[in-house]
């Protein structure tokens, strides 16, 4: 009753910010992301053992905090229920990037956990079912089951049976797409995503307007991905990030994830695009200040250099597009 799986993180270009069902983790809108390469990866081993009194979690070589273990244990309860078992489990998980790098690990973490735990429990789930299971741990994890470009469909059904991710294009299709990551803070976020989106849905007058705009952006991005049209995709990526962060700021109390360096990076990308006379890069920010600058490989060295010279940038990484979850 032991299995190991590995999954990569993903960075959304059409964002998930709002839930239509909190318990089932059903989003208010569909979202689209690219799965990153192995530089942003989590490997997790799950072993169910009837002799264990409780679930245990070792994260990056050390016993996890109580709240982290409780979240994993609640997720394992879903797997146990599905498999009809009661045994507790030992979970050992490690990230290829430091947890303190300020890069979210819940997408890769829960995708790897869903695959390893379901297999260790004797379940043989297809990718769609794995995506639905991973979703219950962390919404964005539903997308990390697949490689390449992925759409997580919000669905309409109350029971969530039409809410899962699907691959829009395989990892090999857009080989020269890059995400240049500029880290400007390694702090853990003060407002968790789930809590933050709840506040936004309740208090932001821009929240509903954003949902209206997202449908059009989804259609534009689907087409741009199909045609590998970076120039068409770039402005949508930036508008979408700006729109989500506007909703956050419009929430009460305001939710502010961006810092001064984030704004400097936004300006830098706009100036860089102006100097090229076309869209060579597009920034996007998640629930944190670190920038994800999508670009094409030939512009990456120039972008890395410009970002490295910017005050407040602590570390730069360059990711390509990667694979979905796999068993080790
Ligand atoms: C996304 N985010 O589409 C959006 C954009 C953050 C901003 O999905 O509570 O990772 O961190 O486990 O699902 C972050 O939410 O939730 C997220 P947590 P999750 O990527």
């Amino acid at each position: 009753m032991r299995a190991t799986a590995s999954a990569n993180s993903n960075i959304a270009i059409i964002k998930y910010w709002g839930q239509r069902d909190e318990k089932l983790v059903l989003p208010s809108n569909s979202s689209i992301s690219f799965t990153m390469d192995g530089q942003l990866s989590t490997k997790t081993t799950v072993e169910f053992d009837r002799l264990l009194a409780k679930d245990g979690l070792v994260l990056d070589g050390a016993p996890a905090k109580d709240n982290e273990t409780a979240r994993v244990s609640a997720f394992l309860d879903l797997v146990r229920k599905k498999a009809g078992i009661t045994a507790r489990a030992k979970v050992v998980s490690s990230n290829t990037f430091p947890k303190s790098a300020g890069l979210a690990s819940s997408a890769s973490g829960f995708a790897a956990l869903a695959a390893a735990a379901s297999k260790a429990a004797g379940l043989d789930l297809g990718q769609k079912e794995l995506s639905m299971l991973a979703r219950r741990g962390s919404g964005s994890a539903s997308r990390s089951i697949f490689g390449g470009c992925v759409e997580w469909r919000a669905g309409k059904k109350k029971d969530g049976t039409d809410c899962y991710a699907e691959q829009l294009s395989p990892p090999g299709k857009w080989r020269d797409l890059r995400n240049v990551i500029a880290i400007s803070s390694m702090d853990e976020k003060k407002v968790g995503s789930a809590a933050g989106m709840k506040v936004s849905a309740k208090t932001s007058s821009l929240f509903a307007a954003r949902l209206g705009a997202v449908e059009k952006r989804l259609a534009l991005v689907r087409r741009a991905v199909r045609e590998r049209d970076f120039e068409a995709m770039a402005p949508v990526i930036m508008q979408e990030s700006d729109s989500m962060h506007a909703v956050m700021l419009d929430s009460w109390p305001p939710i502010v994830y961006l810092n001064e360096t984030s704004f400097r990076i936004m300006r830098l990308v706009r100036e860089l695009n102006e100097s090229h006379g076309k869209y060579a890069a597009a920034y996007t920010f998640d629930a944190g200040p670190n920038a994800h600058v999508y670009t094409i490989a030939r512009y990456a060295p120039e972008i890395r250099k410009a970002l490295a010279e910017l005050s407040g940038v602590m570390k730069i990484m360059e990711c390509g597009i990667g694979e979905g979850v796999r068993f080790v």
Side-chain angles (χ1 to χ4, degrees), residues 12 15-17 71 106 138-140 143 189 193-194 244 286-287:
K15 305 292 193 184
Y16 151 50
W17 194 253
R71 188 171 171 186
S106 64
S138 171
S140 56
R143 298 187 304 240
K189 58 188 170 199
S193 300
M244 181 182 74
D286 281 338

Side-chain angles (χ1 to χ4, degrees), residues 10-17 19 25 31-33 71 104-107 110 135 137-141 143 152 189 192-195 197 244-245 248 257 285-288:
N10 69 77
I11 301 301
I13 54 176
I14 301 290
K15 305 292 193 184
Y16 151 50
W17 194 253
Q19 295 176 330
V25 195
S31 54
I32 296 179
S33 60
R71 188 171 171 186
S105 55
S106 64
F110 278 96
R135 187 195 81 217
S138 171
S140 56
R143 298 187 304 240
W152 172 21
K189 58 188 170 199
S193 300
M197 44 185 98
M244 181 182 74
H245 287 277
M248 290 164 168
Y257 289 118
F285 297 85
D286 281 338

